[in-house]
Amino acid sequence: MTILIDDRRVRARDASPARYFYLHMALACAATAFLGFAPTYWVPLAHRTFSASPVIHFHGLLFFTWSLYFVIQTWLAASGRVVNHRAIGIVGVSLATAMTIFGFLASVHVMQHSAALGQKEAGIAFSIVPMSGIAFFAVVFVLGIANTRRPEIHKRLMLLAAVSILDAAIARWFLTFLAPPGPPGPPPVPVTIAPAVVASLLLVVAMVRDWRTERRVHLVYITGTLAMLAVKVLNWPISESAAWHAFAGGILALAQ
């Protein structure tokens, strides 16, 4: 009986409104991912007008599953079910590993598709966007796993990882409503910077929350946001370099 009462007290303490902040952020990430891909993937898929290779479909399934998994994990943590949160952590490791693999495969597919359209060089240049994005996600996720015993760092790194892959979803709205009509093919690399800036606004919300509750902004948010935006900006000059074209072009040659 004493154990049950203590457990309830722990859950009541851990389920304070402030702890639900990360659940709300996870829900915002999931909603952004779903709504972002709605006009170019979910709606056409529902109307059976969307056609893509199995790699793209599986890639999308994995990334959206991650959004739902992140919601479940933050809910478990917020409600004090830390044991359950840790128990299914291995699922997240497996999921993130599969995302990294299929993120790379999807990048190669984009290059192959662009080459088939006669835009080989444009496809090679654009491939840095998904490749650098999934690499950043993987690094942040590994750091998050390495800091599971430091929850204040762990939960912020997990949020950073979730936000870092939202630029692709946000970019779909830019392409749908703002991009001028043109021939099919990969967009210019510079246009991917704006969606990343929009995605980073979620991290700004987290920074504001930190400031209001703790009177300081955690270093993870500051360095993580700057690093994420730096990667997106540096994609532009690197994508135009001979070194990148040799590297990505070599991967394309191996895949063909």
Side-chain angles (χ1 to χ4, degrees):
M1 179 63 72
T2 301
I3 293 174
L4 288 175
I5 292 173
D6 288 343
D7 183 62
R8 288 172 183 170
R9 287 175 178 171
V10 169
R11 288 194 178 188
R13 181 198 66 200
D14 289 345
S16 61
R19 290 184 63 87
Y20 279 89
F21 171 78
Y22 287 93
L23 173 60
H24 297 154
M25 294 300 290
L27 288 169
C29 290
T32 301
F34 179 79
L35 294 175
F37 281 103
T40 61
Y41 185 78
W42 297 114
V43 172
L45 191 65
H47 289 104
R48 298 182 179 179
T49 59
F50 183 84
S51 177
S53 73
V55 169
I56 298 301
H57 283 295
F58 203 63
H59 163 77
L61 175 64
L62 285 170
F63 275 67
F64 189 66
T65 300
W66 162 263
S67 298
L68 300 180
Y69 171 80
F70 187 48
V71 170
I72 293 171
Q73 281 292 70
T74 52
W75 172 72
L76 289 173
S79 58
R81 296 172 172 84
V82 179
V83 173
N84 303 99
H85 174 86
R86 291 174 178 169
I88 65 172
I90 189 63
V91 175
V93 174
S94 301
L95 185 57
T97 302
M99 289 167 63
T100 302
I101 294 171
F102 275 85
F104 173 77
L105 293 177
S107 303
V108 175
H109 176 78
V110 168
M111 287 194 288
Q112 292 174 318
H113 181 66
S114 300
L117 293 173
Q119 300 184 41
K120 178 180 176 181
E121 294 304 314
I124 289 174
F126 185 79
S127 66
I128 194 173
V129 175
M131 286 189 184
S132 65
I134 194 59
F136 185 87
F137 169 85
V139 169
V140 174
F141 181 83
V142 169
L143 290 174
I145 296 301
N147 285 278
T148 52
R149 297 187 180 277
R150 304 169 71 185
E152 293 304 311
I153 295 177
H154 171 75
K155 60 188 178 183
R156 287 173 171 82
L157 285 169
M158 290 297 103
L159 178 58
L160 174 62
V163 171
S164 73
I165 56 176
L166 290 180
D167 57 326
I170 296 170
R172 295 308 187 277
W173 283 78
F174 277 73
L175 293 173
T176 301
F177 299 109
L178 299 177
V189 173
V191 304
T192 64
I193 298 175
V197 173
V198 174
S200 70
L201 294 179
L202 286 170
L203 295 173
V204 172
V205 171
M207 291 182 196
V208 172
R209 183 260 181 184
D210 263 11
W211 181 257
R212 293 182 62 182
T213 58
E214 303 181 20
R215 307 310 300 174
R216 67 183 182 90
V217 178
H218 201 283
L219 187 61
V220 166
Y221 286 147
I222 297 174
T223 58
T225 302
L226 291 176
M228 184 181 77
L229 293 177
V231 168
K232 303 303 179 182
V233 172
L234 290 174
N235 279 344
W236 184 3
I238 295 175
S239 70
E240 297 178 349
S241 68
W244 177 257
H245 279 255
F247 172 75
I251 294 175
L252 176 60
L254 289 174
Q256 288 180 329

